[in-house]
Amino acid sequence: MIEDKNPQRTSIAQLGEFGLIDHLTKNFDVTQESTLKSIGDDAAVLDFKDKKVVVSTDLLIEGVHFDLAYMPLKHLGYKAVVVNVSDICAMNAKPTQITVSVAVSNRFPLEALEELFDGITHAAKEYKVDVIGGDTTSSQKGLIISITAIGEADENELVYRNGAQKTDLLVVTGDIGAAYMGLQVLEREKQVFQVNPNNQPDLDPYTYLVERQLKPEARKDVRTLLHALDIKPTAMIDISDGLSSEIIHICKQSKVGCNLYEDKLPLDPQFISACEEFNIDSTTVAINGGEDYELLFTIDINDFDKIKGNPNFSVIGHMTEENEGIHLVTRANTKIALKARGWDALTE
């Protein structure tokens, strides 16, 4: 395929703010019964009747949360939705609506924003959430995306971080660490490209890792899976800032300790191979990497038989008395105090 060296560039100023909003939101469909009024008024109107409303919001800032050198705008739009939907899933709730706000500098033409919103539209359809509003404004610092996600659940379905008990089992969905290694691969290839722009990256050996970084998926299926197993987690959180950080959040809010077992961590073979190539300890990456958007939760020990052998879940530890502390139990059966070394947006 021959690349178009002179792609169309339409100035956003030609449309104006409201013309731009109309243009970018024309493909959003309303599918939720609870959406009474979406885009086009001073506020959206939702009707949840007997349901509880769950709301979460996140900011994605260029140069802090993403690098457009290797993050395609369509993938960025998709990921921006996913990271917010994941928070709703972590409450054991059903995501239903999102609002989308974008601050953009004049270096972005209309076509760039169309790519971004194509990704948002695709994610909205994939997760069956309605886009019901938002805002657009200018930015002096590049691209900023803010998405607020809204969900619903019956009161008895909701799961918080503070419900873990001292004998509960610690469970994680999927595998962990791959998103961090995907980022390492992309950063390395970016540096190679900067030295020699003629050197095109070969990402074939890292397809899973790169996908986990550029196009993660929220675990919307877990709520249904657990319901089918007749299991309600006692505490739950999504893994956005690293497994160690999330375990500590649950322990502090539930006032319990924890033993996490190194040999129980679910690691993808491609992840292990990449760690060896980069000469990085796989356990360190797995517990501190972040951006996996898997779900971490605790269950009553009596539910173990319901979950054992299920390919969607791995039992990776158990909760303890608070005064026993929070530890990683190594393969050599040595206890190491677990520290929060995951992502912190306010550290330099």
Side-chain angles (χ1 to χ4, degrees):
M1 180 181 290
I2 299 175
E3 183 181 357
D4 184 1
K5 298 298 184 182
N6 296 292
Q8 181 181 357
R9 291 179 61 88
T10 306
S11 170
I12 295 173
Q14 293 179 23
L15 285 79
E17 179 182 0
F18 300 111
L20 176 63
I21 292 171
D22 290 341
H23 184 87
L24 294 176
T25 62
K26 63 185 178 184
N27 294 322
F28 292 137
D29 299 321
V30 172
T31 61
Q32 298 290 334
E33 290 183 7
S34 51
T35 307
L36 299 186
K37 179 67 178 178
S38 61
I39 298 168
D41 218 302
D42 286 316
V45 180
L46 309 179
D47 179 12
F48 288 94
K49 298 182 174 67
D50 298 327
K51 298 285 186 180
K52 299 300 178 184
V53 180
V54 181
V55 182
S56 181
T57 191
D58 267 311
L59 270 173
L60 294 178
I61 300 174
E62 184 179 356
V64 177
H65 301 100
F66 59 88
D67 187 337
L68 291 177
Y70 48 73
M71 170 64 84
L73 284 165
K74 188 170 184 178
H75 285 70
L76 177 61
Y78 190 94
K79 183 174 181 177
V81 175
V82 165
V83 302
N84 285 275
V85 166
S86 181
D87 284 334
I88 303 300
C89 295
M91 300 294 295
N92 203 37
K94 172 189 172 185
T96 50
Q97 288 92 3
I98 59 172
T99 65
V100 179
S101 296
V102 176
V104 61
S105 71
N106 59 11
R107 87 174 196 269
F108 292 92
L110 174 63
E111 287 73 22
L113 287 184
E114 286 177 334
E115 281 289 303
L116 179 71
F117 272 74
D118 279 348
I120 293 171
T121 303
H122 183 60
K125 290 178 178 177
E126 174 68 24
Y127 289 94
K128 295 181 173 59
V129 294
D130 295 341
V131 183
I132 59 168
D135 193 17
T136 57
T137 189
S138 60
S139 165
Q140 299 295 323
K141 300 293 185 181
L143 180 60
I144 301 171
I145 307 168
S146 175
I147 290 184
T148 296
I150 301 165
E152 65 178 34
D154 292 335
E155 187 171 8
N156 62 0
E157 294 177 311
L158 289 170
V159 179
Y160 303 94
R161 298 178 182 181
N162 63 359
Q165 303 298 310
K166 61 185 178 183
T167 59
D168 284 352
L169 300 177
L170 184 66
V171 185
V172 70
T173 64
D175 60 83
I176 54 177
Y180 179 86
M181 288 311 299
L183 179 62
Q184 301 314 300
V185 169
L186 291 167
E187 285 286 350
R188 181 184 67 181
E189 296 304 320
K190 174 188 173 182
Q191 292 172 12
V192 170
F193 179 79
Q194 288 173 336
V195 173
N196 181 8
N198 293 320
N199 192 337
Q200 293 299 308
D202 178 16
L203 299 177
D204 287 344
Y206 315 102
T207 50
Y208 179 67
L209 307 181
V210 170
E211 182 177 8
R212 292 281 278 180
Q213 172 58 221
L214 297 185
K215 189 177 175 289
E217 299 291 353
R219 294 306 302 260
K220 65 176 182 178
D221 58 325
V222 168
R223 184 171 183 257
T224 303
L225 289 169
L226 291 174
H227 181 75
L229 294 170
D230 192 28
I231 295 174
K232 182 186 176 183
T234 52
M236 186 152 61
I237 191 171
D238 80 328
I239 304 176
S240 56
D241 300 328
L243 180 67
S244 58
S245 295
E246 315 304 3
I247 290 174
I248 291 170
H249 281 313
I250 287 179
C251 287
K252 285 186 175 179
Q253 295 203 25
S254 297
K255 293 182 170 50
V256 293
C258 178
N259 285 331
L260 169 69
Y261 291 87
E262 182 181 21
D263 61 350
K264 301 296 183 183
L265 296 174
L267 309 178
D268 184 82
Q270 197 173 100
F271 164 78
I272 296 173
S273 176
C275 286
E276 292 173 353
E277 180 185 344
F278 280 74
N279 195 27
I280 300 175
D281 179 67
S282 60
T283 299
T284 301
V285 174
I287 66 176
N288 296 311
E291 287 203 297
D292 292 308
Y293 300 105
E294 296 292 346
L295 294 179
L296 175 73
F297 58 93
T298 54
I299 61 171
D300 190 293
I301 193 169
N302 294 317
D303 285 332
F304 174 67
D305 285 341
K306 299 177 184 178
I307 210 169
K308 71 177 181 180
N310 192 305
N312 295 287
F313 308 113
S314 299
V315 178
I316 59 173
H318 63 86
M319 315 317 283
T320 64
E321 294 277 4
E322 184 177 18
N323 60 13
E324 292 185 29
I326 307 170
H327 294 95
L328 172 70
V329 181
T330 69
R331 293 183 180 91
N333 205 32
T334 301
K335 279 190 173 184
I336 300 174
L338 204 61
K339 298 186 183 300
R341 293 193 176 96
W343 167 255
D344 184 342
L346 300 182
T347 58
E348 295 185 5

